[in-house]
Amino acid sequence: MYTELENLHKSCFPNKPWSASDFADLKKSGCDIIASQNGFIVWRVVADEAEIITIGVHPDARKNGIACAMLTLVESDVKKRGGKKIFLEVAENNIPARRLYETNGYSQIGIRPKYYDGIDAIMMEKVL
Ligand SMILES: CC(C)(COP(=O)(O)OP(=O)(O)OC[C@H]1O[C@@H](n2cnc3c(N)ncnc32)[C@H](O)[C@@H]1OP(=O)(O)O)[C@@H](O)C(=O)NCCC(=O)NCCS
């Protein structure tokens, strides 16, 4: 069921691919997933807070607004379910993702030093 997602994830994160069963486990653990041919996003709502677990767009389909559109869908789902804030973490050196989140109204709230193989994680939040 999640094989296409596994392939798409590999295109987006070649150094840290997730398997189809990783996605199945996320779903079982209460995460929600939107996936299309070119993009996916995984998020979780707990009480009045949500977390974006991952987001990716196929390299050939980037810079077309797909990630923005997926974030907007998630935001409206979270709001509908009573969520007040969305959190996420992004590697300090991941400029495209950091710009994506900033453009969509996320602000830095902290840093986890050396979180990703020696790279700092930037913690971000959006108040809905
Ligand atoms: C980050 C990622 C999801 C963006 O997807 P996308 O569909 O290309 O993003 P969008 O087209 O919706 O771009 C929205 C905004 O993000 C920013 N952005 C996206 N790609 C960018 C890039 N290469 N450089 C700088 N800013 C970028 C821009 O502000 C852009 O707005 P603009 O087009 O008006 O300038 C995509 O690059 C990706 O899959 N990267 C690999 C996986 C990854 O790092 N995921 C995030 C993990 S935290």
Side-chain angles (χ1 to χ4, degrees), residues 13 55-57 62-65 67-68 94 96 99-101 103:
F13 297 94
I55 181 170
V57 172
R62 288 182 188 162
K63 297 288 283 167
N64 285 309
C68 268
N94 190 345
R99 294 280 169 277
L100 166 72
Y101 301 136
T103 304

Side-chain angles (χ1 to χ4, degrees), residues 16 27 32 38 44 50 52 56 59 61-62 64 67 82-84 86 98-100 107 112 114 117 123 126 128:
K16 286 205 169 162
K27 186 72 185 158
D32 290 289
N38 288 319
R44 188 200 317 266
I52 294 183
R62 288 182 188 162
N64 285 309
K84 305 267 188 288
I86 303 182
R98 289 182 64 184
R99 294 280 169 277
L100 166 72
S107 313
R112 288 190 205 278
K114 316 271 183 248
D117 299 329
M123 302 153 70
K126 179 171 182 176
L128 300 177

Side-chain angles (χ1 to χ4, degrees), residues 32-48:
D32 290 289
I33 301 174
I34 294 174
S36 67
Q37 202 182 340
N38 288 319
F40 61 87
I41 185 165
V42 181
W43 74 104
R44 188 200 317 266
V45 182
V46 177
D48 62 354

